[in-house]
């Protein structure tokens, strides 16, 4: 599992600095926690402002991996990079462990699918093209780099010692799908029309993703 560098937006960077640099009121102890579930495993830091409000920053990842898949009759070699860094605020409206959570997330949710012309042909749109190993089709599915997070949860409130938590929510945003061809395929006179048709079919599937869910549990310790 590999970690990649993030390019944080100025707002996220400022908020994260505020949390980690100790610029908040020093009235309560912070919590270091580990979480697991969707979207992966991670680490975080929570700082309770008071009994009703906590600020947090956490990182979750499924890492980078490769996998073959078939979409619309085309076999792709896929590469997946799935991770995010979020700055969150928790509000405990009833004074107990239940909370409402909102914030911003810096994301690297990207799927790259590559179909090679090694087999001698590729069907794109309405036409099957004769291909060579230098030909190919590349499709990229990418979630927005910065998205809002909305959810509910339990835990991370003001307390000492061992603490448990859970989150149910989602990063809200729409995935974008793009495709390019290489080799002699790029010179075919009807390739753009068929590529547009192929993209329309893909967008009817993965392109409809409008949110990435979070369903995770956490264990932490307040110092």
């Amino acid at each position: 599992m590999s970690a990649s560098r993030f390019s944080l937006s100025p707002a996220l960077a400022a908020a994260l600095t505020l949390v980690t640099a100790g610029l908040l009121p020093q009235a309560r102890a912070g919590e270091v926690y580990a979480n697991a579930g969707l979207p992966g495993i991670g680490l975080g830091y929570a700082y309770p402002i008071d009994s009703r409000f906590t600020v947090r920053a956490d990182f979750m990842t499924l890492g980078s991996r490769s996998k073959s898949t078939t979409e619309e009759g085309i076999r792709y070699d896929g590469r997946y990079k799935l991770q995010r860094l979020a700055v969150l605020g928790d509000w405990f409206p009833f004074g107990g462990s239940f909370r409402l959570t909102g914030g911003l997330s810096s994301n690297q949710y990207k799927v790259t699918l590559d179909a090679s012309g090694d087999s001698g042909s590729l069907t794109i749109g309405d036409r099957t093209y004769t291909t060579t190993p230098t030909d190919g089709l590349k499709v990229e599915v990418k979630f927005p780099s910065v998205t809002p997070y909305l959810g509910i949860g339990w835990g991370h409130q003001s307390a000492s010692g061992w603490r448990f938590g859970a989150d149910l929510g989602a990063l809200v945003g729409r995935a974008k799908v793009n495709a390019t061809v290489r080799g002699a395929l790029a010179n075919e006179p009807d390739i753009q029309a068929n590529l547009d048709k192929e993209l329309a079919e893909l967008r009817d599937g993965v392109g409809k993703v409008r949110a990435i869910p979070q369903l995770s549990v956490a264990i932490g310790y307040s110092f």
Side-chain angles (χ1 to χ4, degrees), residues 79-146:
R79 290 186 300 156
Y80 306 81
K81 183 177 291 185
L82 308 167
Q83 54 197 30
R84 65 102 172 120
L85 175 63
V87 176
L88 307 168
D90 299 324
W91 177 45
F92 300 86
F94 309 117
S97 61
F98 174 79
R99 56 181 160 78
L100 303 176
T101 299
L104 289 176
S105 176
S106 178
N107 312 303
Q108 286 191 342
Y109 288 104
K110 180 179 177 182
V111 178
T112 302
L113 304 174
D114 190 273
S116 172
D118 288 348
S119 64
S121 66
L122 281 175
T123 300
I124 303 174
D126 294 327
R127 180 180 166 187
T128 298
Y129 296 90
T130 300
T131 59
T132 68
T134 61
D135 299 316
L137 169 64
K138 182 178 180 180
V139 177
E140 183 178 275
V141 181
K142 188 176 182 180
F143 203 66
S145 58
V146 177

